Amino acid sequence: MTTIDHFNLRNFDLNLLIAFDAMMEELNVTRAAARLKIQQPAMSHSLKTLRMLFGDPLFVRVGQSMQPTSRARSLSLRIRPVLQKAEDALAFTEEFDATTAQCLFRIGCSSELAVHLLPMLMVDLQRNAPGLKIVARHVERKNIRAVLDSGEIDLAVGCFGEQGQWHSSEALFNEQLTCCFNPKLLPFSAPIGRQDYLTQPHALISFNETLMGCIEGAFNRAGATLNAIFAAPNFLTLLSFAEHSPVLVTLPKRIAQRYSAAFNLACSPVPLELEEFPNVLVWPAHADSDPAIMWLRDKISCVMKTIETTL
């Protein structure tokens, strides 16, 4: 790509090129002014300036008409394509046709959303947008800004808290927590009471070095402390642990509803007044009008709404 001398162009009134081209078309000051929707004196002033800048009369009177000089004809061969490209650029609108597009999207999401959203999303893409491909990676609240800002992912789906002003977001749904247990190993039946819930050994999802992970703040605000003994970043690990051990597992309600039966577990509401956890779509603000990202955001929202109706 060649370098443009922006300072030099800034000192040249580019509107003069438009006036020149209109004059080449009309070969008449009055008609050229009408084409530009300006007064004749203004057009005459532009022509005078052009003559001075190019050191050439550009248009000379021959009988009752004006004719371009050799210099004007040479300039026109260069100026007209530039103006045409500028007009094309101003009229250009970026479009995205998912049915024919061939591209790769990189999506960040939490493990529980990955099993809900991504399989259904891929089924939809295979049917309606076969040229689109997805690379998914796990992202957490602590690194979501970094991976978005670096361009490692195009957008993210999950519970990430507040984002920067240079990010945009869209609410998808609010997540609730529930607990699971093996009724053969624990003398409980649903719903579990508050005291049993708080005193029974607990296993939780955590993506950091703590036992409570990102839900610790919600429990603190509810004035409750769990007897947490184990934490893992994967909900399947927790469900398998609960199948073989007398512990309670607290995890997102959608995961419990879908997978608890496969591990012979019963479900019970959490006997506390806990806040819900908002899950959102997040993307860089500079991609607000990117047609491909806009399409993907709409598709994810539609898929999530379909999933919601099946839960």
Side-chain angles (χ1 to χ4, degrees):
M1 180 181 295
T2 57
T3 301
I4 294 175
D5 189 341
H6 295 94
F7 181 78
N8 187 46
L9 285 177
R10 182 177 179 273
N11 290 326
F12 183 92
D13 184 357
L14 296 178
N15 286 314
L16 290 173
L17 300 184
I18 301 173
F20 171 83
D21 190 68
M23 191 65 189
M24 283 294 295
E25 286 284 305
E26 300 294 343
L27 296 176
N28 181 281
V29 173
T30 301
R31 292 197 299 270
R35 177 184 281 254
L36 296 177
K37 295 181 173 57
I38 61 176
Q39 297 298 316
Q40 182 175 334
M43 184 64 203
S44 296
H45 177 72
S46 294
L47 182 55
K48 181 180 178 180
T49 304
L50 283 163
R51 285 167 168 164
M52 180 186 65
L53 288 171
F54 289 114
D56 189 89
L58 298 178
F59 301 93
V60 296
R61 184 169 295 281
V62 178
Q64 299 299 314
S65 65
M66 301 285 286
Q67 294 297 323
T69 66
S70 175
R71 173 72 162 150
R73 288 193 295 270
S74 295
L75 286 170
S76 182
L77 293 176
R78 292 163 174 79
I79 292 173
R80 169 52 72 95
V82 171
L83 295 179
Q84 185 63 62
K85 288 181 179 180
E87 187 175 46
D88 292 344
L90 292 173
F92 174 74
T93 55
E94 193 175 8
E95 297 180 352
F96 181 75
D97 184 355
T99 62
T100 59
Q102 300 284 331
C103 62
L104 174 71
F105 289 119
R106 295 160 300 170
I107 300 176
C109 57
S110 58
S111 58
E112 62 269 20
L113 269 178
V115 298
H116 281 310
L117 170 64
L118 297 183
M120 292 290 291
L121 178 62
M122 286 307 303
V123 168
D124 191 292
L125 295 188
Q126 286 181 312
R127 291 173 180 168
N128 303 309
L132 304 186
K133 299 174 177 60
I134 300 289
V135 170
R137 61 169 290 182
H138 176 76
V139 293
E140 304 171 25
R141 182 176 301 201
K142 66 181 181 181
N143 70 341
I144 179 62
R145 292 189 181 188
V147 293
L148 280 173
D149 295 345
S150 66
E152 295 177 52
I153 59 174
D154 299 306
L155 55 77
V157 189
C159 180
F160 302 119
E162 294 294 326
Q163 299 304 310
Q165 294 181 348
W166 55 96
H167 298 138
S168 298
S169 63
E170 174 188 338
L172 288 178
F173 62 89
N174 287 337
E175 183 67 89
Q176 296 177 325
L177 297 178
T178 194
C179 69
C180 298
F181 63 96
N182 188 337
K184 295 181 179 179
L185 301 178
L186 287 171
F188 302 143
S189 59
I192 297 176
R194 177 186 175 96
Q195 187 61 30
D196 288 333
Y197 178 78
L198 295 178
T199 57
Q200 187 65 31
H202 234 100
L204 301 157
I205 288 180
S206 177
F207 301 112
N208 55 35
E209 69 282 358
T210 69
L211 284 167
M212 294 287 291
C214 64
I215 67 173
E216 185 171 12
F219 278 84
N220 289 340
R221 287 185 287 275
T225 301
L226 295 183
N227 179 19
I229 64 167
F230 176 68
N234 189 298
F235 68 87
L236 291 176
T237 302
L238 301 183
L239 293 173
S240 180
F241 179 35
E243 182 181 20
H244 301 286
S245 179
V247 297
L248 298 179
V249 173
T250 294
L251 70 173
K253 185 177 180 180
R254 287 166 174 76
I255 292 295
Q257 289 176 326
R258 185 168 181 176
Y259 293 102
S260 59
F263 291 86
N264 303 307
L265 303 179
C267 292
S268 175
V270 173
L272 300 170
E273 292 295 327
L274 290 179
E275 62 198 55
E276 295 186 344
F277 300 87
N279 281 259
V280 297
L281 266 170
V282 186
W283 64 93
H286 65 72
D288 279 346
S289 58
D290 184 320
I293 299 301
M294 291 172 65
W295 181 89
L296 181 60
R297 283 158 32 201
D298 289 341
K299 178 59 64 177
I300 289 175
S301 296
C302 290
V303 170
M304 283 305 307
K305 289 176 182 177
T306 301
I307 293 173
E308 290 293 290
T309 63
T310 64
L311 292 177

